[in-house]
Amino acid sequence: MNGLLLGGILFCGGLIGLAVGFARRARAGAIRALPCVYISGLKPRERQFITGKARSPVQMESPVAKQSCVFYYEMTEEYRHEHSSSPRGTGRGSWDRVSDNFYGAFFVDDPTGTALVLPNYDALDLAKPDVTFDDSPDRRRTERVILQGETVSALGTPRQIGDLVKFLRHAGANMHPDFLAELMRMERDPSAAGLPCFFGEGLERLADQTWEEYAASTGESAAFLLQAGGAAAVAGAALLLYELKKTLPVSAGD
């Protein structure tokens, strides 16, 4: 690899790292600026954080790791070769997502009350590593889970259980039938009418950490990206200048 190409890669990669780092730093600041409240103090249709323990009356087995959980997300990817006749080791290609599957919902308990969370792909921001299983050299499945009793934090705008049931009737319910039946029963129960529910566009972030840990880890990842991106951009710029200087004609006095 020649110096100009390497310098360009380092410089562009550094700029990307800086951009992502600034975005994460802004997100970390926004997280710290939002209140983390007890569930009993949630205000309807206001953006807030809650932290508590995940709980579900129905548990299931995750499809990849085969572990008991209250929610899982499974993604299947296939490796697409640029040329079908090329061997995997020498041909170029990329992993493409071909399917994904969300399953489950759960209650979140804190010392003051209970809320309900229905996760979605865009909201998942889990610290624990994903579990990946290779079905074949060209096909793999990746899994993310929430466990019974695990500490979670949810950011969003809570709505009532009646709104959730309407959403499920329109979008479909990808959850255990017994859990869905429990939600339908709760909708008819006047004492459950005030249950705060985070779902759909009303759930922005779901982390497997406390609010304090999530805010701190987001800030730390932002600082690392800013440092690494800045170093890579400076190194790339220096290498580009050095290589360009070598291409300039040498003057007679040199």
Side-chain angles (χ1 to χ4, degrees):
M1 182 180 296
N2 64 52
L4 282 174
L5 179 58
L6 178 59
I9 291 174
L10 282 172
F11 183 70
C12 292
L15 291 181
I16 293 172
L18 285 170
V20 175
F22 280 119
R24 289 196 180 180
R25 187 169 71 175
R27 191 174 76 181
I31 290 172
R32 293 190 183 95
L34 285 171
C36 183
V37 302
Y38 282 120
I39 291 174
S40 62
L42 281 170
K43 297 179 180 178
R45 303 192 180 277
E46 287 191 16
R47 296 176 72 228
Q48 300 142 100
F49 262 104
I50 60 168
T51 291
K53 301 290 186 180
R55 171 182 59 86
S56 173
V58 178
Q59 294 192 63
M60 56 269 188
E61 185 179 81
S62 65
V64 178
K66 307 299 182 184
Q67 58 183 327
S68 180
C69 62
V70 300
F71 164 82
Y72 67 78
Y73 165 65
E74 178 193 20
M75 176 177 65
T76 301
E77 296 174 294
E78 291 183 354
Y79 193 84
R80 307 294 191 188
H81 297 278
E82 289 186 2
H83 303 287
S84 59
S85 60
S86 298
R88 169 71 186 278
T90 58
R92 292 184 176 182
S94 61
W95 286 100
D96 294 338
R97 184 170 66 189
V98 295
S99 68
D100 51 17
N101 180 29
F102 283 85
Y103 199 81
F106 51 87
F107 299 105
V108 176
D109 299 323
D110 76 5
T112 70
T114 299
L116 186 140
V117 173
L118 178 65
N120 60 70
Y121 174 77
D122 292 332
L124 287 180
D125 200 355
L126 306 184
K128 73 170 73 71
D130 299 341
V131 177
T132 300
F133 177 79
D134 292 330
D135 291 326
S136 70
D138 292 335
R139 183 181 175 89
R140 67 187 183 190
R141 289 181 293 147
T142 301
E143 174 183 280
R144 301 174 182 177
V145 299
I146 298 292
L147 306 176
Q148 181 88 317
E150 186 171 15
T151 296
V152 295
S153 293
L155 165 63
T157 306
R159 286 176 279 178
Q160 295 184 331
I161 190 169
D163 299 320
L164 172 63
V165 171
K166 290 178 183 177
F167 173 83
L168 293 175
R169 286 171 175 156
H170 174 73
N174 200 14
M175 64 179 67
H176 195 283
D178 291 346
F179 196 100
L180 179 60
E182 175 66 10
L183 293 181
M184 297 300 179
R185 184 198 66 76
M186 293 176 69
E187 184 199 18
R188 298 189 297 270
D189 183 355
S191 65
L195 177 72
C197 302
F198 294 83
F199 63 93
E201 295 181 355
L203 178 63
E204 300 176 38
R205 288 286 181 272
L206 176 62
D208 52 352
Q209 299 171 295
T210 65
W211 174 83
E212 294 86 355
E213 292 169 339
Y214 183 54
S217 64
T218 304
E220 289 169 0
S221 66
F224 172 78
L225 283 171
L226 289 172
Q227 293 173 1
V234 170
L239 183 56
L240 283 172
L241 290 174
Y242 173 76
E243 292 294 331
L244 289 172
K245 186 177 180 180
K246 291 197 312 184
T247 65
L248 296 176
V250 180
S251 63
D254 292 341

